[in-house]
Amino acid sequence: MEIGIETARRIIAAAQETGVARGMKPLSVVVLDAGGHPIAFERADGASPGRFEIARGKAYGAVMLGMGGRAQAERAASGPAFMAAINGAFGGKVVPVPGGVLVRGAEGAVIGAVGVTGDTSDNDAEAALAGIAAVGLTGEA
């Protein structure tokens, strides 16, 4: 199973709707495939223009390391040298904070990741999880 463009668009719409409904700041949302390539991205009106790279970095770290942003943040706190080395290996593309969420298919395999940025990292993760759940997939923050 893989995430197609229509599913990616539905994830983004549900994440954005969650942000609006919960009074979050304007969000930017990206959906990556299992290889770390963008499928779809949306930046809400009022979101700063640099948000694509942050959202992608959150999702990229999740899919490349096989762990959500919360687990990455914990790993960075307990082993900063490891995360610095990982970020070096990936050319500085990893943003190890909540808001990068793995997407698992029906059999539990990683099929992609969602990155959300714009509010607090915890709220970003909440919006990503809501978007993933809206399409019947499992998110791992």
Side-chain angles (χ1 to χ4, degrees):
M1 176 180 196
E2 60 183 51
I3 301 172
I5 186 69
E6 290 306 319
T7 299
R9 288 177 177 150
R10 288 175 34 223
I11 290 169
I12 290 170
Q16 292 284 17
E17 289 166 8
T18 297
V20 170
R22 297 185 184 169
M24 295 179 194
K25 294 176 183 173
L27 300 178
S28 295
V29 185
V30 69
V31 178
L32 306 184
D33 66 17
H37 303 97
I39 300 170
F41 170 75
E42 181 177 280
R43 182 173 57 89
D45 291 344
S48 60
R51 293 292 178 173
F52 171 76
E53 294 299 339
I54 298 167
R56 182 179 65 164
K58 289 180 174 189
Y60 189 79
V63 77
M64 288 296 136
L65 298 175
M67 66 175 80
R70 285 191 181 117
Q72 291 177 60
E74 290 169 8
R75 185 67 191 260
S78 67
F82 172 76
M83 284 308 289
I86 289 297
N87 218 349
F90 288 114
K93 294 179 187 176
V94 175
V95 178
V97 297
V101 179
L102 284 175
V103 180
R104 294 190 183 272
E107 293 84 40
V110 173
I111 60 170
V114 175
V116 176
T117 184
D119 204 272
T120 66
S121 291
D122 287 334
N123 283 346
D124 293 344
E126 183 180 317
L129 287 166
I132 295 163
V135 297
L137 295 170
T138 301
E140 184 179 315

